[in-house]
Amino acid sequence: MYRLNVARLREIAEKRGDRSAYAIAKRTGVNTSSAYRIASGETQPDLISALRIAEAYDLDIRTLMDRVDDEEDEPAGAAA
């Protein structure tokens, strides 16, 4: 599973002069309320939003994402 690294997003956005979720929304085309929730870490972006963010900041999407273990996503009985 992958999760957006919010701290990395905010750092990259600030380097481009985008110091608020509103500025991130304006640059990326992501809905303003979604950008606020994403930038605060309240929610994860859907694939389209993540791609828009990466493209707007001229990044490979993997730059913004961290791989995380999520045991809840394993099928029942998969854990040994």
Side-chain angles (χ1 to χ4, degrees), residues 5-78:
N5 183 315
V6 176
R8 192 173 303 134
L9 168 61
R10 293 187 75 72
E11 177 184 329
I12 290 166
E14 285 185 27
K15 286 181 182 178
R16 294 283 189 93
D18 298 339
R19 291 181 175 84
S20 69
Y22 178 77
I24 292 170
K26 294 297 278 184
R27 181 180 299 270
T28 63
V30 172
N31 177 287
T32 304
S33 62
S34 295
Y36 275 96
R37 290 192 311 273
I38 292 166
S40 71
E42 182 181 326
T43 190
Q44 288 292 301
D46 61 20
L47 180 58
I48 298 301
S49 295
L51 288 168
R52 283 183 176 180
I53 292 167
E55 186 175 271
Y57 291 107
D58 196 28
L59 302 169
D60 183 305
I61 193 170
R62 292 173 291 185
T63 303
L64 295 172
M65 307 304 278
D66 288 333
R67 186 177 178 98
V68 295
D69 293 326
D70 188 5
E71 295 174 5
E72 294 176 15
D73 283 349
E74 292 182 14

